[in-house]
Amino acid sequence: MPETGVDGRTSPTPLRVPEPTVERLSTYLQFLYSAAASGLTTISSAHVESATAVSAAQFRKDLSYFGEFGKPGVGYVISELQGRISRILQLHETQPVILIGLGNLGAALLSYPGLTEQRFEVVAAFDIDPKKCGRTVQGVPVYALSDLLTECARLNPRIAILAVPGLAAQQTFDLAYQTGIRAILNFAPAVLKVPAGVTVRNVSFTQELAVLSYHIKTDQLDS
Amino acid sequence: MPETGVDGRTSPTPLRVPEPTVERLSTYLQFLYSAAASGLTTISSAHVESATAVSAAQFRKDLSYFGEFGKPGVGYVISELQGRISRILQLHETQPVILIGLGNLGAALLSYPGLTEQRFEVVAAFDIDPKKCGRTVQGVPVYALSDLLTECARLNPRIAILAVPGLAAQQTFDLAYQTGIRAILNFAPAVLKVPAGVTVRNVSFTQELAVLSYHIKTDQLDS
DNA sequence: TAGATTGTTAATCGATTAACAATC
DNA sequence: TAGATTGTTAATCGATTAACAATC
């Protein structure tokens, strides 16, 4: 049921998009790059199914939340689909991102080439340790945490990568929120309390390993 | 409906456990550590709800897949619950893990203290670059990729962290599979094809950022 | 045209939530 | 005992899958 606006007309894309769908869009983009690299100009939902873990029906259903993308009997033009998915994910223009916490993990992220490839630009890094500040790492200027407000006023980022210790995570987020940050990639082992309108994605290596650990125990029994 | 074994008796825990439940077990464990650290000896499902993003009903339901853990009217004894969840996740004893790919990310993972804290021990690292091999990084011996079979025969790991380039991911997995690896924490931007009985968890920073990017675009509209 | 493949609707599946009898 | 809180069942919700008319 499409929502009806105040003017009585039905608006075009107001269906709530399931979170798993948004996650898969990124997978599709990755697949499209490799398909293009292998010389194809067109793909079908069946291609997607055979190259990814996503079914053809799921792929079509996911795209349907955003409009029509293909031609019956033909499939999808790769370059067009790339462009439209990029736009949906707001990846068609470079996104400024800040990094908070320049420990081992934070430093490794700065040298990760994938970020730039996907149009994310780390425009500033912050650390509480004064010894780390005032220089540049991988071309990214490092500031004291106390400069967060000033620098964010200038750079106006919406996304922050949080790579601080668990105990510092909440207070660091609270500070970042004041500067206008509304999305957090959280590497800290902590559950953040955030106001409505803020999106958090947690990355926990130990959680992932725990799930693997559970499965190697359990799955051996059946085989 | 509990499964019935060949002897006709019903076996105790044969209900399939939903994947989200397994993921949350790790969250509960993290919460229990901090609850214990704050001096508590007992918690209730209501405590869990107020400290995590998980509802009280969800918490009780999750635990119910594995038996009974609490006392009505009282709650759960923290130390006991920790022990039992640790055991379910096979985290009560140290798990050997190997790391394949010693680039920036791989090296950062080796210096990440969280792994040891959760009883994962990286027992060997492997890289295709001979210049990186034959030494020790963070106390972990680094071998040539060609030594994978030999070393794994000795160390007998089941879990591998895959931190290699996307194009090398599949062939590296295939090799690791031969050595007995049955669980993969995959950092490579690639969809792995794996035999039945193998568990893969994908970690993709750019995918996470893409999801955040989508939300900062979309969620601003409602507020 | 015949074959292929889309976008969408309806059916299925599975996970989350609510409610409550049991019990400490 | 009265109050609190569990474990479980039933109801709800939402996502995935299957099927197919539309169409290139």
Side-chain angles (χ1 to χ4, degrees):
Chain A
M1 171 185 44
E3 255 164 42
T4 305
V6 282
D7 57 0
R9 285 181 302 129
T10 54
S11 39
T13 323
L15 292 158
R16 200 195 122 273
V17 179
E19 197 72 356
T21 293
V22 179
E23 293 170 12
R24 283 189 296 264
L25 289 182
S26 178
T27 306
Y28 302 152
L29 217 40
Q30 177 188 302
F31 164 70
L32 290 170
Y33 283 122
S34 68
S38 73
L40 293 172
T41 56
T42 269
I43 53 112
S44 69
S45 58
H47 279 119
V48 175
E49 174 161 316
S50 64
T52 70
V54 182
S55 74
Q58 181 80 78
F59 175 73
R60 296 199 304 275
K61 177 75 171 167
D62 283 344
L63 293 185
S64 76
Y65 289 101
F66 305 99
E68 305 194 352
F69 294 73
K71 267 198 177 42
V74 179
Y76 304 83
V77 175
I78 290 179
S79 60
E80 191 206 323
L81 190 54
Q82 279 180 325
R84 291 184 65 185
I85 295 180
S86 291
R87 203 164 266 276
I88 291 166
L89 292 174
Q90 200 72 3
L91 300 180
H92 61 295
E93 52 186 21
T94 300
Q95 286 262 8
V97 172
I98 61 168
L99 169 67
I100 310 182
L102 201 61
N104 284 308
L105 185 63
L109 286 170
L110 284 185
S111 52
Y112 181 57
L115 297 186
T116 327
E117 281 164 23
Q118 296 264 344
R119 301 265 210 135
F120 293 106
E121 186 190 355
V122 182
V123 292
F126 298 88
D127 200 283
I128 204 167
D129 180 356
K131 284 193 290 271
K132 290 184 179 164
C133 308
R135 60 192 176 111
T136 269
V137 175
Q138 301 283 331
V140 178
V142 183
Y143 301 101
L145 196 56
S146 52
D147 293 335
L148 195 69
L149 255 156
T150 323
E151 293 302 325
C152 286
R154 188 170 62 82
L155 299 161
N156 210 29
R158 289 287 166 270
I159 302 178
I161 300 172
L162 203 57
V164 301
L167 287 173
Q170 184 65 51
Q171 66 189 74
T172 309
F173 164 76
D174 294 342
L175 187 63
Y177 181 75
Q178 288 175 43
T179 73
I181 291 294
R182 292 296 177 269
I184 297 280
L185 184 54
N186 178 38
F187 288 88
V191 177
L192 295 178
K193 310 245 188 222
V194 302
V198 175
T199 309
V200 177
R201 303 283 299 184
N202 294 299
V203 178
S204 169
F205 306 139
T206 52
Q207 179 174 45
E208 301 294 341
L209 285 169
V211 174
L212 293 178
S213 179
Y214 172 82
H215 283 293
I216 56 170
K217 183 185 70 166
T218 310
D219 297 352
Q220 311 307 3
L221 305 175
D222 323 323
S223 57
Chain B
M1 169 187 43
E3 254 165 44
T4 305
V6 281
D7 56 1
R9 286 181 302 131
T10 54
S11 39
T13 323
L15 293 158
R16 200 194 122 273
V17 179
E19 196 73 354
T21 293
V22 179
E23 293 170 12
R24 282 189 296 264
L25 289 182
S26 178
T27 306
Y28 301 151
L29 218 40
Q30 178 187 301
F31 165 70
L32 290 170
Y33 282 122
S34 67
S38 73
L40 293 172
T41 56
T42 271
I43 53 111
S44 70
S45 58
H47 279 117
V48 174
E49 174 162 314
S50 64
T52 69
V54 182
S55 74
Q58 180 80 78
F59 175 73
R60 295 199 304 276
K61 178 75 172 168
D62 283 344
L63 292 184
S64 75
Y65 288 102
F66 305 99
E68 305 195 351
F69 294 73
K71 267 198 178 40
V74 179
Y76 304 83
V77 175
I78 291 179
S79 60
E80 191 206 322
L81 191 53
Q82 279 180 324
R84 291 185 63 186
I85 295 178
S86 291
R87 203 163 266 277
I88 291 166
L89 293 174
Q90 200 72 6
L91 299 180
H92 61 294
E93 51 187 23
T94 300
Q95 286 261 9
V97 172
I98 61 168
L99 168 67
I100 310 183
L102 201 59
N104 285 309
L105 185 63
L109 286 170
L110 285 185
S111 52
Y112 181 57
L115 297 187
T116 326
E117 281 165 22
Q118 297 264 343
R119 301 266 209 134
F120 292 106
E121 186 189 356
V122 181
V123 291
F126 299 88
D127 200 282
I128 205 167
D129 181 356
K131 283 193 291 272
K132 291 183 179 164
C133 308
R135 59 191 176 113
T136 270
V137 175
Q138 301 283 332
V140 178
V142 183
Y143 302 101
L145 196 56
S146 52
D147 292 336
L148 195 68
L149 256 156
T150 324
E151 295 301 325
C152 287
R154 186 170 63 83
L155 299 161
N156 210 29
R158 290 287 165 270
I159 303 178
I161 301 171
L162 203 56
V164 300
L167 287 174
Q170 186 64 51
Q171 66 189 72
T172 309
F173 165 76
D174 294 342
L175 187 62
Y177 181 76
Q178 288 175 44
T179 72
I181 291 293
R182 291 297 177 269
I184 296 281
L185 184 54
N186 179 38
F187 287 89
V191 177
L192 295 178
K193 309 242 188 224
V194 303
V198 175
T199 310
V200 177
R201 303 282 298 182
N202 294 299
V203 178
S204 169
F205 307 139
T206 53
Q207 179 175 44
E208 300 294 341
L209 285 169
V211 173
L212 293 177
S213 179
Y214 171 82
H215 283 292
I216 57 171
K217 183 186 68 166
T218 310
D219 297 352
Q220 311 307 3
L221 304 176
D222 324 322
S223 58

